[in-house]
């Protein structure tokens, strides 16, 4: 017997992902997703974060320990909350695997709920949320992630051009150079629909380091220091952009490097 049903809209699927449906409505969408592969695929797509982890972690594709991750995932207990009632364990695991395949990240559940990417890009978010998201994926970087020779100045300049265009910056290899730290690559990412510049470095002493920049109208803020994911973060903002320097180096060294960046980077 074939059961007829109405294909859920994107609004319905998004509400399902965010745990905003009643138990009855959520059960209906779950049942449809179990029957209709196209609905399941659309649900998985909408649950993916907007930050392009695939671009940032492409070198890790062939090394991802899929079998080990599947075993880890199977051991995750179901969450006893209202949201878990609306979003069953099977859907949560499906979203996890979909996000993992899309982003090529090993060992971290980066679904929409964990990253908080469904939240608005408000002044509060600019003060903390985007730094939390950046710290989540920078913590996955290893020396092998950034292995290879330092690009020539011409290559560095070419990589910085898209960042300038999207964020209204004026960056040069000299402006973003860090003392004793090797430039590795510049990427244009996206956070909640906003362009996010990431310049990745490899410090011979402490490992991966990154300078990240987003547009901000929250006003100037003097440099401050915080710790995220076992790394030190120095963050500040001017009238148009918010900056963060994140890495494993000691706090005083990170602060000194950040001071140098602030003096050289003009927005």
């Amino acid at each position: 017997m074939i059961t007829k049903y109405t294909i859920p809209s994107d609004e319905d699927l998004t509400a399902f992902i965010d745990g905003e449906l009643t138990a009855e409505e959520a059960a209906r969408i779950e049942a449809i997703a179990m029957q209709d592969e196209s609905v399941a695929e659309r649900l998985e797509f909408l649950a993916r974060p907007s930050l392009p982890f695939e671009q940032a972690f492409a070198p890790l594709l062939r090394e991802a320990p899929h079998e080990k991750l599947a075993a880890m995932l199977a051991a995750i207990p179901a969450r006893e909350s209202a949201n878990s009632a609306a979003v069953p364990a099977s859907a949560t695991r499906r979203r996890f695997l979909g996000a993992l395949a899309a982003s090529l990240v090993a060992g971290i559940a980066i679904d929409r709920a964990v990253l908080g990417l469904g939240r608005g890009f408000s002044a509060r978010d600019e003060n903390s949320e985007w730094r939390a998201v950046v710290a989540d994926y920078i913590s996955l970087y290893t020396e092998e992630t950034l292995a290879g020779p330092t690009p020539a100045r011409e290559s560095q300049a070419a990589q910085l051009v898209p960042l300038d265009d999207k964020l209204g910056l004026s960056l040069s290899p000299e402006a973003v150079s860090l003392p004793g730290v090797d430039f590795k690559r510049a990427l244009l990412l996206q956070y909640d629909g906003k362009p996010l510049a990431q310049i990745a470095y490899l410090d011979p002493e402490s490992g991966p380091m990154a300078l990240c920049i987003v547009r901000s109208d929250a006003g100037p803020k003097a440099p401050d220091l915080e710790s995220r994911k076992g790394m030190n973060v120095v963050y500040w903002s001017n009238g148009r952009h918010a900056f963060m320097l994140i890495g494993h180096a000691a706090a005083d060294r990170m602060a000194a490097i950040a001071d140098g960046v602030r003096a050289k980077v003009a927005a």
Side-chain angles (χ1 to χ4, degrees):
M1 178 178 179
I2 299 176
T3 302
K4 294 183 178 180
Y5 53 83
T6 301
I7 299 296
S9 66
D10 283 357
E11 290 77 11
D12 291 335
L13 294 178
T14 300
F16 175 84
I17 293 167
D18 291 339
E20 297 173 352
L21 299 180
T22 65
E24 181 179 352
E25 292 170 329
R28 180 181 69 85
I29 289 182
E30 180 189 9
I32 293 173
M34 296 290 286
Q35 297 178 52
D36 192 322
E37 184 177 358
S38 66
V39 174
E41 290 176 352
R42 185 62 178 169
L43 186 64
E44 178 181 310
F45 174 80
L46 291 173
R48 293 175 184 171
S50 61
L51 198 63
F53 285 84
E54 180 174 1
Q55 181 185 18
F57 287 93
L60 302 181
L61 176 60
R62 295 184 177 85
E63 300 178 12
H66 299 289
E67 293 182 2
K68 180 178 179 181
L69 290 170
M72 292 169 60
L73 184 61
I76 297 176
R79 283 183 275 179
E80 298 178 359
S81 65
N83 282 347
S84 64
V87 185
S90 60
T92 300
R93 294 182 182 186
R94 183 168 62 249
R95 293 206 309 275
F96 178 96
L97 291 175
L100 180 63
S103 62
L104 316 178
V105 177
I108 297 293
I110 54 169
D111 65 350
R112 181 172 173 169
V114 174
L115 290 178
L117 291 177
R119 303 174 185 176
F121 196 77
S122 62
R124 177 180 61 82
D125 292 330
E126 289 181 348
N127 288 335
S128 62
E129 293 294 338
W130 79 280
R131 299 197 305 274
V133 173
V134 170
D136 277 338
Y137 70 83
I138 294 296
S139 68
L140 299 172
Y141 280 16
T142 67
E143 292 187 8
E144 289 75 18
T145 308
L146 301 173
T150 298
R153 185 195 183 283
E154 292 75 14
S155 177
Q156 294 182 30
Q159 292 180 43
L160 293 171
V161 169
L163 279 58
D164 288 346
D165 292 343
K166 289 293 186 179
L167 282 91
L169 293 166
S170 180
L171 301 175
S172 67
E174 291 75 21
V176 299
S177 66
L178 306 183
V181 181
D182 297 328
F183 178 107
K184 287 299 179 180
R185 66 189 183 210
L187 295 173
L188 181 63
L189 306 178
Q190 180 175 282
Y191 168 71
D192 200 30
K194 305 288 185 178
L196 187 158
Q198 180 212 110
I199 305 169
Y201 307 84
L202 187 59
D203 178 19
E205 297 181 9
S206 62
M209 188 178 294
L211 172 65
C212 297
I213 311 167
V214 295
R215 284 189 181 273
S216 170
D217 57 3
K221 175 176 175 38
D224 205 348
L225 178 71
E226 65 183 1
S227 178
R228 290 183 181 271
K229 296 289 183 177
M231 296 173 287
N232 288 311
V233 180
V234 182
Y235 62 97
W236 69 97
S237 60
N238 54 28
R240 298 177 57 195
H241 299 89
F243 301 79
M244 65 178 286
L245 181 71
I246 180 170
H248 299 271
D252 55 352
R253 182 161 177 252
M254 292 292 291
I257 293 174
D259 283 344
V261 171
R262 291 178 60 234
K264 293 186 296 181
V265 173

